[in-house]
Amino acid sequence: MVLTGAGISAESGISTFRDNGGLWENYSIYEVATPEAFEKNPALVLDFYNQRRRQLHQVQPNAAHLALVDLEAKYDVKIITQNIDNLHEKAGSSQVLHLHGELFKARSSRNPNLIIHHETDIQLGDLAADGSQLRPHVVWFGEAVPAMEEAASLVAHADIFIVIGTSLNVYPAAGLVDFCKPNCEKYLVNPEIVYNIPKDYRVIKEKAGIGVPALVKELLQKGE
Ligand code: OAD
């Protein structure tokens, strides 16, 4: 099992949220990433995600995404990502669970289960099949995380758990690091100190593009 956050896509050119110069330094969460923000100023919220979606057409997976694909040669690799980009899929990973939604999907603002594939801008007036305004298929602050139950169960059954590029600031996702069984091998890849990580994780203090390929090489050798 692998849990990824914004840091794994940083070297592909996508900003993280809480680092210096991160997205939440330039935007207020309360203005662009809550249901209340969408009610108050839907055009601003749509524009924020339209910019992210446009950027996604320009970026490519990096060495860390690609290494996780290589790991599938010997392991049953399942990725839980907090990211709304599609770089794990673009790299070729076959099992990816998106906890916080996907930029290339849109949904009805009335019915969370009415989801369509959507790679272009969403404008005010673009309607879902039920006649409601289309909105990005992303989990906003204050909304439920429907994939959480499945994610928790996957982590609880894992033999190896690798946590990459997340500050572990956002719950419930951050709580997944405590769900492993006692004999699970646990790794953290992050160039910075992550304060919420339990003490029994082996910390690889490197950027994902260096630390993940090195760890994958080690695990593949071990699996021989
Ligand atoms: P954050 O921006 O909170 O944290 C990014 C983490 O990536 C930090 O711990 C950095 O040290 C690390 N990092 C930076 N560059 C890296 C690199 N090259 N390689 C590896 N790690 C690197 O992002 P997340 O933890 O993903 O949710 O944030 C979680 C959630 O908060 C997001 O899914 C999003 C956000 O608000 C929603 O919008 C609901």
Side-chain angles (χ1 to χ4, degrees):
M1 287 304 314
V2 181
L3 172 67
T4 63
I8 196 170
S9 297
E11 288 154 88
S12 293
I14 299 180
S15 289
T16 59
F17 295 96
R18 295 174 184 81
D19 295 309
N20 279 340
L23 277 174
W24 295 151
E25 221 168 70
N26 298 309
Y27 294 90
S28 152
I29 286 177
Y30 302 101
E31 283 174 14
V32 299
T34 65
E36 293 77 19
F38 190 57
E39 245 167 60
K40 191 170 136 212
N41 194 345
L44 181 74
V45 174
L46 291 177
D47 182 57
F48 174 75
Y49 288 99
N50 286 344
Q51 287 182 40
R52 315 267 83 72
R53 199 178 301 102
R54 281 182 203 170
Q55 184 193 27
L56 193 46
H57 287 282
Q58 315 295 332
V59 295
Q60 299 302 329
N62 63 53
H65 299 102
L66 294 168
L68 292 176
V69 181
D70 294 342
L71 197 56
E72 292 193 15
K74 293 232 172 85
Y75 294 88
D76 177 21
V77 181
K78 297 194 175 89
I79 299 173
I80 302 169
T81 186
Q82 298 166 85
N83 300 341
I84 56 177
D85 67 49
N86 65 348
L87 295 182
H88 286 301
E89 290 90 341
K90 207 167 175 180
S93 282
S94 59
Q95 305 187 76
V96 185
L97 179 66
H98 285 268
L99 272 184
H100 293 160
E102 291 173 72
L103 263 178
F104 280 172
K105 289 185 179 167
R107 72 161 167 91
S108 149
S109 44
R110 212 179 288 145
N111 177 358
N113 299 315
L114 195 52
I115 301 163
I116 58 168
H117 189 82
H118 192 100
E119 295 197 6
T120 55
D121 285 0
I122 303 177
Q123 309 288 2
L124 266 187
D126 290 347
L127 302 181
D130 62 0
S132 73
Q133 171 65 44
L134 265 188
R135 57 164 273 185
H137 176 54
V138 296
V139 173
W140 285 325
F141 287 90
E143 292 187 318
V145 182
M148 191 56 201
E149 207 173 312
E150 185 183 352
S153 156
L154 288 171
V155 174
H157 289 97
D159 298 312
I160 302 177
F161 187 40
I162 308 172
V163 179
I164 306 164
T166 172
S167 65
L168 297 177
N169 264 300
V170 174
Y171 286 82
L176 288 171
V177 296
D178 296 314
F179 275 76
C180 317
K181 56 189 183 188
N183 57 347
C184 176
E185 271 177 48
K186 300 180 274 285
Y187 302 91
L188 174 88
V189 183
N190 198 308
E192 304 297 332
I193 294 171
V194 177
Y195 292 98
N196 291 342
I197 198 75
K199 297 228 168 343
D200 56 348
Y201 276 66
R202 183 178 135 201
V203 176
I204 299 168
K205 206 163 176 287
E206 298 274 8
K207 289 186 172 185
I210 300 289
V212 177
L215 176 59
V216 164
K217 193 170 166 206
E218 191 184 313
L219 291 171
L220 287 175
Q221 279 167 357
K222 216 190 226 182
E224 271 169 8

